[in-house]
Amino acid sequence: MSASQNSAGARFRQALVEESPLQVMGTINAYTAMMAERTGYKALYLAGAGVANASYGLPDLGITNLTDVLTDLRRVTDATDLPVLVDVDTGFGGAFTIARLVRGLIKDGAGAMHMEDQVQLKRCGHRPGKEIVSKAEMVDRIKAAADAKTDPNFFIVARTDALAIEGLDGAIDRACAYVEAGADMIFAEACTELSQYKAFVDAIDTPHPVLANITEFSKTPNFTLDELRGVGVSAALYPLSAARAMNAAALKVFRHIRKEGSAKGILEIMQDREELYDFLNYHEYERKIDELFRSQK
Ligand SMILES: C[C@](O)(C(=O)O)[C@H](CC(=O)O)C(=O)O
Ligand SMILES: [Mg+2]
């Protein structure tokens, strides 16, 4: 098997074949990535909003950069074998920056990326007031990315935020142009109805045409996997589900211990030491230390 057949990009493509729709699970750090892997997911997601919110305490408004994303990516790819889809926002700059980004992602173990057609001062895809670049400019972004691939299997997802601005026909017209330019899949952002996904799927001519972003508290309802399968969606993204739950749990714990002066009464929502150690393979590390240094005792 050649190196590129076994690359993260190849593994991402394989996951799309094995599972349809492929559930792509957002994990904001190495440890949650390990838990998701053990739970049975076949692909992970590094959310731009996750990098911004969780790692830097910033809103998802295009403030974090290429280096911030690669730093978080390396933590995840060092800890798991699963292929990771990485949110690279607008690509962080012009053609040369995008090329550097693609090379960096592949080097740091990403299997796929998604880049969007918003202006540099981007917003969350589910917020009002989004602005997008021209179709031609986004086509250039995709071409720059496709041209920079050092692994032919690296998977490029083009995200279009055009539905909210140009309507379904405009968004589909862009989607087709993005695929023509080298995108492997379309991230149809902020769809409100299943029929919209179907329209994208019918228009796009690739083996795995459409990704649905099932982010909570958004413009997109929490469509089930069966519903998405029914309209031909190839990948279902859960960018921040665990992060939202982790935030809510942390806040509960902070409030409880502050108020009660003790963790008594809130312990049941915590992961206990045994489970933590199980996911970390902690005992294996201890065994190794004992084995290595036994003679010194
Ligand atoms: C997918 C997304 O790009 C992300 O960064 O996770 C966000 C998710 C969200 O804000 O809920 C987006 O849809 O813009
Ligand atoms: Mg994002």
Side-chain angles (χ1 to χ4, degrees), residues 159-170:
R159 163 169 152 179
T160 182
D161 283 72
L163 179 63
I165 300 151
E166 297 181 344
L168 189 58
D169 289 346

Side-chain angles (χ1 to χ4, degrees), residues 81-96:
D81 292 326
L82 290 182
V84 184
L85 166 65
V86 182
D87 178 357
V88 301
D89 292 345
T90 59
F92 309 117
F96 295 130

Side-chain angles (χ1 to χ4, degrees), residues 16-159:
L16 280 166
V17 172
E18 283 172 13
E19 187 174 292
S20 190
L22 174 64
Q23 288 187 300
V24 185
M25 182 49 73
T27 53
I28 55 164
N29 56 31
Y31 180 66
T32 50
M34 291 163 85
M35 285 198 293
E37 180 170 39
R38 189 92 78 83
T39 307
Y41 289 97
K42 294 192 182 307
L44 299 177
Y45 180 61
L46 188 67
V51 173
N53 307 167
S55 296
Y56 294 93
L58 290 168
D60 182 20
L61 290 166
I63 308 169
T64 41
N65 62 32
L66 162 60
T67 311
D68 298 331
V69 170
L70 292 180
T71 301
D72 279 9
L73 171 65
R74 279 194 294 272
R75 292 185 174 140
V76 170
T77 51
D78 281 351
T80 77
D81 292 326
L82 290 182
V84 184
L85 166 65
V86 182
D87 178 357
V88 301
D89 292 345
T90 59
F92 309 117
F96 295 130
T97 305
I98 291 170
R100 188 169 163 241
L101 165 69
V102 169
R103 289 194 301 268
L105 289 168
I106 294 171
K107 194 160 165 245
D108 289 336
M113 69 170 210
H114 74 71
M115 185 166 59
E116 69 210 33
D117 55 10
Q118 287 201 52
V119 296
Q120 298 282 349
L121 192 54
K122 56 143 298 159
R123 299 181 183 206
C124 157
H126 298 260
R127 296 291 304 156
K130 291 190 291 184
E131 283 176 63
I132 51 178
V133 297
S134 68
K135 179 168 83 177
E137 188 171 336
M138 180 61 179
V139 162
D140 286 350
R141 285 183 190 170
I142 307 278
K143 280 187 183 162
D147 180 64
K149 289 206 282 189
T150 45
D151 166 16
N153 281 319
F154 184 69
F155 196 86
I156 296 178
V157 181
R159 163 169 152 179

